[in-house]
Amino acid sequence: MTAAPLPPPVRPGARVGVAALSGAVDPERLRRGLAELERLGFEPVPARNLETVAGAGAVRFAGGDEERLAAFHELAADPDLPAILFARGGHGLLRLLPQIDWRLLARTPRAYVGYSDLTPFLLAVVERLGVAAFHGPLVAAEFARGLLPEEKESLLGALAGDYPVEHPLAGALR
């Protein structure tokens, strides 16, 4: 089995989208996360639903299903965004996954970075678009607290395409 090719390189100075397909985003954590992206040299382009809250109690989303999907598709339609990072995970993406416009996403190969409930989306990127996706830091989580040096090095290397595609497993499996 061969690894999916890496998306085009993303380096500091680039505009990068910040999307919210799932849970509502804490405004202070978002502010800190966007500031950290800027410190790393990127120009964050926030999705229009990042500060939206829909739902009540424990189930709160970053907008209704249609709003989250439309805001994500707006970012995906911008050919000048070589990466889209996600603000947070949480419940909500699986409801949207069947409605994602994969033809739109295929027009502009780019890096997608996230984890948590975004994992099925990242796997679909690899399967449907044929490029690697990155299980990596969330803007309103790890970016908000400040990336550790090794996290920063790993993320910047992966985005730039300098990260090794394959890691030897010798001695790792028994």
Side-chain angles (χ1 to χ4, degrees):
M1 176 182 234
T2 60
L6 292 173
V10 183
R11 292 189 172 79
R15 297 171 65 241
V16 296
V18 179
L21 282 172
S22 303
V25 182
D26 177 87
E28 178 56 25
R29 293 173 66 90
L30 176 62
R31 184 194 64 73
R32 291 194 321 258
L34 293 173
E36 180 71 6
L37 267 174
E38 289 175 352
R39 274 192 290 282
L40 291 175
F42 296 106
E43 180 186 336
V45 178
R48 66 176 161 92
N49 69 312
L50 280 178
E51 296 184 21
T52 303
V53 178
V59 180
R60 296 179 22 207
F61 300 109
D65 289 357
E66 298 80 21
E67 183 178 10
R68 295 192 322 272
L69 192 62
F72 174 70
H73 284 151
E74 287 172 10
L75 291 177
D78 186 338
D80 295 324
L81 296 178
I84 295 178
L85 293 83
F86 291 92
R88 63 158 290 177
H91 175 70
L93 170 78
L94 288 179
R95 303 160 34 149
L96 304 181
L97 199 57
Q99 300 166 48
I100 289 180
D101 184 345
W102 294 101
R103 281 183 276 173
L104 171 65
L105 274 61
R107 286 186 210 144
T108 306
R110 63 173 46 100
Y112 293 95
V113 181
Y115 69 92
S116 185
D117 81 323
L118 297 157
T119 302
F121 169 79
L122 299 174
L123 292 171
V125 165
V126 174
E127 181 181 331
R128 292 174 176 251
L129 305 180
V131 295
F134 300 104
H135 188 269
L138 298 170
V139 175
E142 291 77 19
F143 279 94
R145 70 153 157 75
L147 295 180
L148 300 172
E150 55 273 11
E151 291 171 325
K152 178 181 170 182
E153 178 185 355
S154 176
L155 176 69
L156 293 177
L159 289 176
D162 298 332
Y163 198 78
V165 175
E166 296 182 23
H167 294 282
L169 292 175
L173 301 175
R174 296 176 189 216

